[in-house]
Amino acid sequence: MNNTILTYETVSLDENECSLLILDQTKLPSSINILHLTDIHDIWNAIYTLQVRGAPAIGVAAAFGLYLEALKIDTDDYTLFNEKFTQAKDYLNSARPTAVNLSWALNRLSKTVTVNSSKTVPEIKELLRLEALAIKSEDTQTCRLIGEHGLTLIKNGDGILTHCNAGQLATSKYGTALAPIHLGREKGMNFRVYCDETRPLLQGARLSAFELIADGVDTTLICDNMASQVMKNGWVNAVFVGCDRAAANGDCCNKIGTSGLAVLAKHYGIPFYVFCPASTIDMTLKTGDEIVIEQRPSEEVTEMWYSKRMAPDDVKVYNPAFDVTEHELITGIVTEFGIARPPYTESLSKIFQDKRDFQ
Ligand code: MRU
């Protein structure tokens, strides 16, 4: 295989130098830059500034980051260790509010500490290392399964519209919404993929288009406001998007602009699928109204990507990073345990039962 962006690891752990390696997504596609992070504040910042982004990748990065911080806690006293560990966990958890994989991964490590309270601190540190590595390898398996289920929804030559980047760059491998495309390529299939550029941070233009082209996919970039016309042209057989947090009733929160696509897809009679690992489903929330939506700095809208500021200085800016698509607009939610269909309250709780049986 040629050396392309797909040969790089999105997130990894360098055990020799005790550092977190991140493929810096803010520099793509113009330069491939691997960050070596050891300081917890730099790791927090990498999550906040989207150097690492996408719900599953954020979870993996946070797990490695918390493990590295745990290594630095210089005590053999369990209570003191747990106190400092919890402070580090809460700090990392504050980096971004919406993607549930962040708290999900940190809580997995936290559970490792609490259920092993009878072990020595060095033994707990080793268990934390194993748990963080497991989160990463499970992510690859999960994405592959999601891709296999997703591939049953499309046929060779189909047109897929996607938003933001829910591809390999957002996960350990394959991605979620783009996993069927990458897996299809492994089987010699091809699809026409329309990437929304995804204002304001351009994850579609910079990241999805980059990784799809690297995989030899027929890729067309469109501005977000062109989706309706592309659908009207009859070019789109299905919309595939990722998810940052799904509620128990099937409401799905994803990158801002996703819910508008769902409305359009309904209008044009196009199936709308959300790709969502079970780790992204938050069964504690009844509906999407309870999901905290991250608000981002106004400069992302007024200045970023422009050679000079393009908006008037005093203009108010509304810059929510995500929106919630109501479950009524979603044709199916593709998980590693299969495709959930309406009514989601029942199908998602069945998936959680399967998840419990599987563990
Ligand atoms: O702000 P981002 O780039 O982290 O937003 C990412 C998304 O909205 C993705 O669609 C979602 O996290 C799923 S990634 C498999």
Side-chain angles (χ1 to χ4, degrees):
M1 187 182 176
N2 291 338
N3 211 21
T4 72
I5 192 62
L6 295 169
T7 53
Y8 289 85
E9 298 237 43
T10 308
V11 184
S12 58
L13 177 68
D14 183 327
E15 299 201 37
N16 293 326
E17 66 167 29
C18 286
S19 68
L20 166 65
L21 305 191
I22 285 174
L23 172 57
D24 184 351
Q25 310 223 357
T26 62
K27 300 279 186 294
L28 296 175
S30 52
S31 79
I32 293 174
N33 187 24
I34 310 290
L35 302 169
H36 293 236
L37 306 178
T38 52
D39 182 274
I40 191 168
H41 301 102
D42 292 339
I43 294 171
W44 186 97
N45 202 47
I47 296 172
Y48 177 73
T49 61
L50 277 60
Q51 287 175 315
V52 58
R53 33 85 30 219
I58 291 171
V60 175
F64 286 149
L66 185 55
Y67 160 64
L68 292 173
E69 196 58 20
L71 282 185
K72 293 181 194 161
I73 303 174
D74 189 16
T75 179
D76 285 330
D77 177 73
Y78 174 82
T79 309
L80 192 56
F81 174 80
N82 194 19
E83 198 181 298
K84 289 193 182 283
F85 175 87
T86 305
Q87 276 168 12
K89 178 200 149 195
D90 292 345
Y91 174 63
L92 284 176
N93 198 32
S94 69
R96 293 188 77 188
T98 305
V100 70
N101 298 62
L102 176 59
S103 55
W104 169 85
L106 294 171
N107 286 338
R108 270 184 65 164
L109 265 64
S110 209
K111 194 169 164 203
T112 303
V113 173
T114 46
V115 301
N116 291 293
S117 59
S118 60
K119 297 205 164 59
T120 66
V121 169
E123 283 168 344
I124 293 173
K125 288 179 178 173
E126 172 57 10
L127 291 171
L128 287 171
R129 183 182 75 86
L130 296 175
E131 189 67 7
L133 288 169
I135 288 173
K136 180 175 169 180
S137 65
E138 286 167 25
D139 184 40
T140 300
Q141 292 160 27
T142 295
C143 288
R144 197 180 161 95
L145 286 169
I146 285 178
E148 279 166 9
H149 293 304
L151 206 46
T152 65
L153 301 170
I154 46 178
K155 56 184 191 321
N156 197 32
D158 272 358
I160 314 298
L161 192 143
T162 192
H163 190 66
C164 194
N165 172 261
Q168 174 155 317
L169 290 166
T171 64
S172 303
K173 198 167 164 59
Y174 297 112
T176 57
L178 298 188
I181 316 289
H182 290 307
L183 275 183
R185 292 297 294 152
E186 285 182 8
K187 296 175 198 291
M189 299 167 79
N190 202 3
F191 306 101
R192 292 170 290 109
V193 180
Y194 298 91
C195 295
D196 277 359
E197 63 176 353
T198 316
R199 282 278 292 154
L201 294 183
L202 307 182
Q203 291 93 330
R206 296 186 301 108
L207 308 175
S208 292
F210 190 39
E211 71 167 76
L212 289 168
I213 287 170
D215 204 12
V217 177
D218 178 345
T219 306
T220 304
L221 177 62
I222 60 169
C223 299
D224 298 341
N225 53 4
M226 297 170 188
S228 176
Q229 187 60 46
V230 170
M231 290 184 187
K232 195 174 189 173
N233 291 346
W235 296 345
V236 180
N237 297 92
V239 179
F240 283 4
V241 294
C243 187
D244 284 86
R245 196 183 286 246
N249 72 340
D251 289 350
C252 287
C253 182
N254 190 49
K255 180 52 55 192
I256 188 75
T258 302
S259 67
L261 284 180
V263 173
L264 289 175
K266 186 176 173 126
H267 177 76
Y268 290 110
I270 296 169
F272 183 93
Y273 291 101
V274 177
F275 287 68
C276 183
S279 56
T280 306
I281 304 171
D282 186 347
M283 294 298 273
T284 68
L285 303 184
K286 281 203 180 92
T287 77
D289 292 343
E290 296 169 60
I291 298 173
V292 177
I293 304 286
E294 176 182 15
Q295 301 292 324
R296 303 277 307 172
S298 59
E299 291 75 22
E300 289 180 353
V301 176
T302 56
E303 291 176 22
M304 226 162 158
W305 321 113
Y306 296 93
S307 55
K308 62 179 184 358
R309 186 184 165 97
M310 61 77 186
D313 280 341
D314 298 329
V315 72
K316 287 192 286 181
V317 173
Y318 174 53
N319 184 18
F322 301 98
D323 61 24
V324 174
T325 301
E326 287 89 12
H327 60 93
E328 293 90 344
L329 297 172
I330 300 172
T331 313
I333 300 177
V334 185
T335 77
E336 67 271 39
F337 296 102
I339 303 173
R341 303 274 182 181
Y344 292 112
T345 313
E346 285 166 29
S347 56
L348 291 182
S349 49
K350 160 89 176 58
I351 277 167
F352 263 75
Q353 187 54 51
D354 292 352
K355 187 180 162 196
R356 274 192 290 272
D357 296 345
F358 175 77
Q359 279 166 346

